[in-house]
Amino acid sequence: DHVLSEADPEVRAIIDKEKQRQFRHLELIASENFTSRAVMEAVGSHLTNKYSEGLPGKRYYGGNEYIDELEILCQQRALAAFHLDGKKWGVNVQPLSGSPANFEVYTAILNPHDRIMGLDLPHGGHLSHGFMTPKRRVSGTSIYFESMPYRLDESTGATSLLGYIGLVKDECVDMFVADSKFALLSHTGLVDYDMLEKTANLFRPKLIIAGASAYPRDFDYPRMRKIADAVGAFLMMDMAHISGLVAASVVADPFEYCDIVTTTTHKSLRGPRGGMIFFKKDPVLGVDLESAINNAVFPGLQGGPHNHTIGGLTVCLKHAQSPEFKTYQNQVVSNCRALASRLIELGYKLVSGGSDNHLVLVDLRPLGLDGARVEKILEMASITLNKNSVPGDKSALVPGGIRIGTPAMTTRGFTELDFISTADFIHEGVQIAREAKRSVSGSKLQDFMKFVASPDFSLMDRV
Ligand code: PLP
């Protein structure tokens, strides 16, 4: 602190403000967490000074004796943290983050314009799984590969009624949904595996991607494996959001069924910002994944590894094998269930009706609200979460829901009761948002903001 405050007081001040913000807010962004001091110490260490292109024992520069020791330890801990047999699985710990890791896999096993299928972004998938709109190939993945997304099942007992009204006039659907006590309108919100199967049989992708940024349920890996096998596709899981839960065995294990598993390291895993790629050691569909993936990382798409990140990751992966980590991940899931139940009690509609993991997706459209309005109002109240599209949104520009995650506040010591209070606070914010929408005077909102500025509201005394 002392050195930075002297060398660059401006940057020191910004860091201090950000640290305060992180401590003052209820941090509910599902992809964020608070890493440990030990991890941050490694990330802020001398490891940042060293170039080490290549892999341990095969570097392009000298002086890598200790960097080799570190990267080998990191690989060993990565395999151990995910309960993998080093004879069957290998790992590359150099990807700079989640999106590069995914693109490195595509570069390794696909040719330009090969076909891929990932979960559509408006249905919870990630940009890097091939997002495109009818007008634009948004993600680089969709520029270089042909992408045919699969989606969630939106069907319900009331589909035909909704369809009928939809035919009459779009706005009718709006009014109907906004005003509706017809819970039947809720969609199943689960991946539509039947449709994925049918589409895969026609589209014949070379790669099927499981994994999501906003999906509250486990993927059905056995089913996806079958679909991939039937069309001769690789099956990859991007477990970025749930890798901590996978390490603690509190959700289904993707390694049993997938050929390749990618992850970020900074979400539920609670490490530094980075990425990893796990691959089967035996050839798959005639491809030696180990050399293809290692070559795609370097020299394909990256230069020198970020050794300071690998240092932090190695520390994180030691934590990830501890009993405390398992307790933490169990608490993440219990907290999410408590949050989901309370929101349902309060009358909210959750996509898929609940959660198996660390996040819930709340569909605000039955209340006549969009996610952006609620995100904004809650931000004023020191509650940080994000607007999120929900299945059935007519426009990606007006996301109809919010995503709420439990990993970060669980790290801060929140238990079920705290998440019940959190649901109540969110509910209060939503009510304000509804009144603001009906453009009631600002005074109630001002009272609310005064209330949330008080220490009670931000729960500072609890964490
Ligand atoms: N994959 C998934 C499922 C994600 O949710 C994210 C980020 O949110 C990524 C990949 C990309 O990670 P990064 O932001 O580190 O590139």
Side-chain angles (χ1 to χ4, degrees):
D1 282 8
H2 186 60
V3 175
L4 182 58
S5 60
E6 274 177 15
D8 192 337
E10 254 176 300
V11 168
R12 180 70 256 170
I14 293 170
I15 294 173
D16 288 343
K17 281 189 290 190
E18 171 56 17
K19 184 172 165 189
Q20 281 309 309
R21 187 199 66 77
Q22 289 185 12
F23 277 96
R24 268 202 321 271
H25 281 221
L26 285 193
E27 182 52 71
L28 301 173
I29 294 184
S31 50
E32 293 186 9
N33 213 329
F34 298 100
T35 195
S36 66
R37 269 178 188 280
V39 166
M40 289 198 288
E41 190 177 324
V43 171
S45 71
H46 292 79
L47 294 170
T48 199
N49 297 333
K50 186 72 194 110
Y51 247 112
S52 57
E53 285 164 337
L55 286 166
K58 290 177 264 176
R59 305 283 188 186
Y60 284 77
Y61 296 117
N64 274 304
E65 189 184 347
Y66 304 116
I67 298 296
D68 279 4
E69 191 179 335
L70 176 72
E71 190 167 338
I72 290 167
L73 184 61
C74 190
Q75 291 169 344
Q76 287 167 345
R77 286 187 181 170
L79 295 173
F82 290 95
H83 325 287
L84 299 171
D85 175 351
K87 288 196 198 78
K88 295 190 177 144
W89 284 87
V91 61
N92 190 304
V93 297
Q94 296 186 6
L96 300 176
S97 217
S99 303
N102 289 342
F103 206 81
E104 282 152 7
V105 171
Y106 310 149
T107 304
I109 61 172
L110 303 175
N111 290 313
H113 299 292
D114 272 352
R115 294 185 286 270
I116 63 168
M117 292 186 74
L119 183 60
D120 209 2
L121 179 124
H123 281 216
H126 187 256
L127 270 171
S128 62
H129 300 176
F131 181 56
M132 56 195 285
T133 69
K135 291 198 186 128
R136 206 158 67 85
R137 292 178 178 235
V138 180
S139 156
T141 308
S142 62
I143 296 175
Y144 297 107
F145 306 99
E146 301 305 325
S147 166
M148 171 68 79
Y150 59 89
R151 315 195 89 201
L152 304 187
D153 183 352
E154 296 177 277
S155 69
T156 69
T159 320
S160 52
L161 179 59
L162 182 64
Y164 170 72
I165 295 171
L167 278 180
V168 179
K169 213 166 193 301
D170 260 11
E171 297 89 283
C172 283
V173 178
D174 258 356
M175 281 167 43
F176 187 71
V177 173
D179 198 25
S180 169
K181 295 179 202 76
F182 295 83
L184 274 178
L185 275 176
S186 65
H187 32 71
T188 70
L190 300 176
V191 168
D192 188 343
Y193 294 102
D194 292 340
M195 188 54 87
L196 167 59
E197 184 167 20
K198 274 188 207 147
T199 316
N201 280 326
L202 292 170
F203 188 63
R204 307 201 76 77
K206 198 159 166 193
L207 170 67
I208 297 178
I209 306 163
S213 300
Y215 186 56
R217 299 295 184 177
D218 265 338
F219 278 78
D220 184 347
Y221 304 113
R223 180 89 199 263
M224 294 188 82
R225 179 75 263 172
K226 254 197 203 152
I227 297 171
D229 285 345
V231 299
F234 294 97
L235 180 61
M236 160 184 148
M237 166 63 177
D238 175 352
M239 62 168 183
H241 260 260
I242 57 161
S243 52
L245 308 181
V246 173
S249 307
V250 296
V251 290
D253 183 1
F255 290 94
E256 272 183 52
Y257 295 95
C258 299
D259 306 309
I260 299 164
V261 178
T262 61
T263 185
T264 55
T265 50
H266 45 273
K267 299 184 168 94
S268 57
L269 193 60
R270 213 162 58 178
R273 309 197 79 78
M276 291 190 280
I277 305 171
F278 295 87
F279 44 82
K280 275 193 179 147
K281 280 206 161 163
D282 283 341
V284 179
L285 298 172
V287 178
D288 173 1
L289 294 178
E290 177 160 24
S291 68
I293 287 171
N294 285 338
N295 285 327
V297 174
F298 175 84
L301 288 160
Q302 292 188 182
H306 289 192
N307 294 312
H308 54 305
T309 300
I310 293 174
L313 176 57
T314 311
V315 177
C316 149
L317 291 166
K318 180 176 183 189
H319 292 327
Q321 294 173 65
S322 66
E324 294 76 24
F325 189 78
K326 191 158 170 82
T327 307
Y328 161 68
Q329 297 295 353
N330 271 312
Q331 190 67 54
V332 166
V333 172
S334 302
N335 284 348
C336 196
R337 297 212 167 125
L339 172 74
S341 305
R342 182 61 170 173
L343 288 168
I344 290 168
E345 249 170 58
L346 291 166
Y348 289 91
K349 190 177 118 185
L350 306 187
V351 174
S352 84
S355 173
D356 294 330
N357 56 29
H358 64 302
L359 67 85
V360 295
L361 260 186
V362 185
D363 187 348
L364 295 165
R365 294 167 309 176
L367 303 169
L369 283 173
D370 63 81
R373 184 179 298 272
V374 171
E375 178 192 291
K376 191 80 213 149
I377 294 215
L378 291 174
E379 188 169 11
M380 291 191 237
S382 303
I383 297 178
T384 316
L385 45 66
N386 62 287
K387 58 183 171 289
N388 214 101
S389 47
V390 283
D393 269 345
K394 281 204 240 61
S395 160
L397 298 176
V398 190
I402 48 174
R403 186 183 69 164
I404 314 173
T406 55
M409 293 314 293
T410 305
T411 295
R412 299 274 300 272
F414 268 31
T415 58
E416 291 85 346
L417 280 181
D418 300 308
F419 270 99
I420 290 169
S421 306
T422 301
D424 291 342
F425 290 136
I426 290 169
H427 182 51
E428 220 162 320
V430 168
Q431 283 169 317
I432 298 292
R434 291 186 82 183
E435 303 206 353
K437 179 161 189 191
R438 281 187 229 126
S439 86
V440 179
S441 70
S443 65
K444 180 136 192 218
L445 183 59
Q446 274 160 15
D447 284 351
F448 178 70
M449 285 167 62
K450 236 185 265 162
F451 166 59
V452 300
S454 71
D456 285 353
F457 190 84
S458 65
L459 293 179
M460 273 302 281
D461 54 337
R462 307 290 301 277
V463 292

